[in-house]
Every structure is written in C-alpha cells, then in structure tokens.
Amino acid sequence: EQPALQDRAAAEARTAIAGGADDAGLPDRLPLLRRIVEESMRLYPPVPRFDRQAVGPDRLGEHEVAPGDIISIWPWLLHRHQRLWDEPDAFLPDRWIEGKTERHRFQYLPFGGGPRVCVGMRFAMAEALTVLAHWLSSWRFAPVAGREVRPSGMVTLRPAGGLPLRVSGRE
C-alpha cells in the first residue's frame, strides 16, 4: 500500500482527463500511471509461464534442444531475477522512467515476446490506463485489513480468492 503514490497517480489522472476524457491520447498523458502498471506487470505478469515447442535443433546454454522439445518461459522468474533487475522484489515504478536503464528486449515479457507477442498488447495497455485513470480520479482504494493477497495462476495470474478492497470517494 502506497497512499502517497496513489494520490500522485490520481492527480495525474484528473489532469489528463481534464485534457480530454474520451480522446485516444489519454493514455499518453499518464506517464506515472503507465510506470505503475508496467511495474505491477513486472512483479505480477498476466501470464506467469508460457511454453513453446522447438521447431528445430537449438541450444540453451549447455543444454541441447531437440525438435519437438517443450521449452517453458517464466516471466514470473525473469521479472524477479537478481542479475536482471536492481532490487527485483521491490515495487519501484520509477525504474520505468524513459531512458533510465537499458534492458534486453526479452528481459520483460508481460505479453510474451517475439513473433508470438500478444496481439492485444497495445489495446490492453490503453484500456488499463484509461480505466485506472477514471477510477483513480474518483475513488481511493485501500486493502482490507487482515486480508492477505496471494497470487494464483495456472494460465493467467490472479489473486487467490479475489481482491477485496475498501473503496472511498475522493474529495
């Protein structure tokens, strides 16, 4: 829970919405909220694991890969790897400030990667930013006391048992 960060994101959302709530440029006016979403998907990728079948012989490090072998790719692990991220378990939205850090193109895979990247990636990001901006501009969200949130996922990641929140109006 970071109420001060939520308040900053809400202020950004109100300003962005005042510039046009229904125009396609709204997500571009939400740089802080975008960093928060990016960092949230780093720690909790929508798909924590996906598999690919090798179409030809290959090599992964010291391991031979034969045609037909199944290779599991784990964004959950990549996104928390100590060699790839400073403070990998910390929620640090400012790690996404443009130009702050160079990353390998397959270091961050919330929507997959390569030729099979999610075709809805841009729409999903625009939709998430738009919905969150409208919600944050009107409401404040807080965790329910005593309720532990545990991630659960088979195909997609979600909170086990849901995500109860206290919602209150903003002044």
Side-chain angles (χ1 to χ4, degrees), residues 130-141 170:
T130 300
V131 169
L132 287 170
H134 284 276
W135 286 357
L136 285 170
S137 69
S138 298
W139 300 301
R140 180 181 317 281
F141 299 88
R170 290 192 179 274

Side-chain angles (χ1 to χ4, degrees), residues 48-81:
R49 178 191 131 215
F50 53 92
D51 299 323
R52 295 294 182 259
Q53 187 171 21
V55 295
D58 208 336
R59 187 171 190 78
L60 282 174
E62 299 175 9
H63 304 280
E64 296 291 329
V65 177
D69 283 355
I70 302 294
I71 305 298
S72 289
I73 301 157
W74 288 77
W76 179 272
L77 298 175
L78 284 170
H79 294 178
R80 294 167 181 262
H81 198 288

Side-chain angles (χ1 to χ4, degrees), residues 100-122:
K100 184 173 182 180
T101 307
E102 285 290 320
R103 289 189 186 83
H104 188 278
R105 67 185 183 136
F106 294 121
Q107 181 175 340
Y108 177 68
L109 303 168
F111 294 103
R116 296 195 52 194
V117 69
C118 175
V119 297
M121 173 177 63
R122 289 187 194 280

Side-chain angles (χ1 to χ4, degrees), residues 2 13 19 24 28 34 36 43 57 69 73 77 96 105 120 126 130 160:
Q2 297 186 28
D28 295 331
R34 180 179 295 274
I36 290 169
L43 288 170
D69 283 355
I73 301 157
L77 298 175
W96 297 99
R105 67 185 183 136
T130 300

